[in-house]
Amino acid sequence: MSNQTMHPPPTTDPYQLLKIQHHPNDTLTRYFEDPHTSPSLDTSLPVLTKDLFINQSNQTWLRLFLPKKATNVSNLNNKLLPIIVFFHGSGFIVQSAASTNFHDLCVDMADTVEAVVASVDYRLAPEHRLSAAYDDAMEALSLIRSSQDEWLTKYVDYSKCYLMGNSAGATIAYHAGLRVLEKVNDFEPLKIQGLILRQPFFGGTNRTESELRLENDPNFPLCVSDLCWDLALPIGVDRNHEYCNPTVGNDVDEKLDKIKDQGWRVLVSINGGDLLADRAKELVQLMDEKGVEVVKDFQEEGFHGVEFFEPSKAKKFIKLVKGFISTFDA
């Protein structure tokens, strides 16, 4: 468990906790404080950034993060970099790829791992309920595969692609990976090597031990988790839907077999003070049983989103990602 002293949140109203108002037409007014960072080509920065449209009709886009060292004249061998396709978290309903916390994480990731990062700005629920975010993830991968943007064509090794996300973003990465498995050849030369799932946001109708134990967690209480799913899932379905619960459905074994057959490795990183921990452990157990190579990062201390509050935790996780990716070069 986290060393934090757990206190019930000051209110049990998840709308107040999330600072949102849900309207009868299934839209949200978001009062959530969300500082944004603009892209920058300032060469005094360690990482250059710019935005590319994915689908202008849907107003979806991605932000590219290019380590400046890759553009240096000293890079005489024109070393190509792996690409990390990143999906931000926040329950499918708030924040974006421009949110400063996610922007800064991607800057550090690109610089430390020495990778091009493509952070996807997908449509939010409930205005666009699932499978919208999963659909947008696939469009993002198609854009990366076919774009003639110089940052991609000049600096990216398309054979070393990793799908990554935190919280709901990890859920998107997982579902995008499953969809890619249905038509691997269609994404050539882009080749997925692995999934990086940081505190994945899964759910179900039966409560887990960690959900019950951390029901009143001040950072991410159970009522907030439930509300996010209520707003994100298609109207009329419960949390035992395949969009939410990776252990349900008649084809779970088949999907995991495909992950194994493709040789993908999966990094799953969770904390004991996160109410989502047991859901991730359930998926890891299924993957282990099917022979999928899983790298497990289970830390007893720490709460949901701890890396955004404790910089040392973020640095530790990024180093873990660097080690995970570097194993493919060994």
Side-chain angles (χ1 to χ4, degrees), residues 183-198:
K183 42 187 177 180
V184 172
N185 293 337
D186 291 353
F187 288 90
E188 291 182 353
L190 200 65
K191 182 175 176 59
I192 310 299
Q193 295 287 355
L195 307 178
I196 301 170
L197 310 180
R198 170 65 181 157

Side-chain angles (χ1 to χ4, degrees), residues 6-253:
M6 293 299 179
H7 301 289
T11 174
T12 56
D13 181 348
Y15 292 96
Q16 290 185 36
L17 292 169
L18 287 167
K19 299 180 181 179
I20 59 174
Q21 182 179 1
H22 189 204
H23 303 292
N25 64 351
D26 210 25
T27 63
L28 289 184
T29 298
R30 296 167 174 87
Y31 303 102
F32 183 86
E33 186 176 344
D34 184 22
H36 280 197
T37 299
S38 299
S40 176
L41 299 176
D42 183 350
T43 55
S44 69
L45 298 173
V47 175
L48 310 178
T49 52
K50 68 177 175 181
D51 297 341
L52 301 178
F53 267 115
I54 298 171
N55 184 322
Q56 293 197 43
S57 297
N58 290 335
Q59 290 296 297
T60 53
W61 49 274
L62 60 79
R63 177 161 295 178
L64 289 178
F65 297 78
L66 176 67
K68 190 182 69 173
K69 64 188 75 172
T71 68
N72 291 343
V73 177
S74 58
N75 185 18
L76 298 177
N77 295 325
N78 294 320
K79 177 185 175 183
L80 297 178
L81 304 178
I83 182 166
I84 299 172
V85 184
F86 178 79
F87 304 93
H88 71 82
S90 293
F92 300 102
I93 64 171
V94 293
Q95 300 204 269
S96 79
S99 297
T100 296
N101 56 336
F102 296 122
H103 175 95
D104 290 349
L105 178 70
C106 290
V107 166
D108 292 342
M109 190 82 61
D111 188 41
T112 301
V113 179
E114 296 187 34
V116 173
V117 176
S119 181
V120 179
D121 195 72
Y122 52 86
R123 289 171 292 171
L124 298 178
E127 293 88 349
H128 305 282
R129 290 176 176 265
L130 295 174
S131 62
Y134 302 156
D135 298 339
D136 295 344
M138 299 306 290
E139 281 200 317
L141 293 177
S142 295
L143 173 72
I144 292 167
R145 168 194 169 275
S146 61
S147 174
Q148 294 303 304
D149 185 88
E150 184 183 45
W151 284 14
L152 295 171
T153 59
K154 186 175 180 179
Y155 298 110
V156 166
D157 182 345
Y158 289 92
S159 71
K160 296 177 181 176
C161 178
Y162 305 86
L163 306 184
M164 174 184 173
N166 74 295
S167 192
T171 313
I172 297 171
Y174 179 73
H175 281 277
L178 295 181
R179 291 189 178 195
V180 168
L181 290 169
E182 298 299 321
K183 42 187 177 180
V184 172
N185 293 337
D186 291 353
F187 288 90
E188 291 182 353
L190 200 65
K191 182 175 176 59
I192 310 299
Q193 295 287 355
L195 307 178
I196 301 170
L197 310 180
R198 170 65 181 157
Q199 296 180 330
F201 183 34
F202 296 125
T205 54
N206 295 324
R207 298 303 189 192
T208 66
E209 187 279 332
S210 62
E211 288 173 342
L212 294 173
R213 172 169 50 89
L214 296 166
E215 178 180 1
N216 293 318
D217 173 60
N219 299 286
F220 186 51
L222 188 58
C223 63
V224 167
S225 173
D226 288 351
L227 177 60
C228 288
W229 280 120
D230 288 345
L231 295 174
L233 286 168
I235 293 174
V237 308
D238 63 25
R239 293 188 303 275
N240 270 354
H241 192 278
E242 63 178 344
Y243 290 166
C244 173
N245 189 340
T247 69
V248 301
N250 297 323
D251 58 349
V252 174
D253 288 347

Side-chain angles (χ1 to χ4, degrees), residues 267-324:
L267 169 60
V268 181
S269 175
I270 61 176
N271 296 83
D274 180 5
L275 64 83
L276 301 177
D278 285 351
R279 297 285 178 192
K281 290 178 180 178
E282 289 175 355
L283 179 60
V284 167
Q285 181 178 347
L286 286 177
M287 288 182 171
D288 279 338
E289 291 171 355
K290 297 304 292 184
V292 175
E293 187 175 352
V294 184
V295 177
K296 309 173 190 71
D297 175 43
F298 293 173
Q299 300 178 39
E300 286 301 318
E301 296 183 353
F303 49 90
H304 192 74
V306 64
E307 62 270 28
F308 297 109
F309 299 91
E310 300 181 18
S312 63
K313 295 289 195 300
K315 289 180 180 179
K316 183 176 180 180
F317 174 65
I318 291 172
K319 287 182 179 178
L320 178 68
V321 172
K322 182 176 183 178
F324 177 76

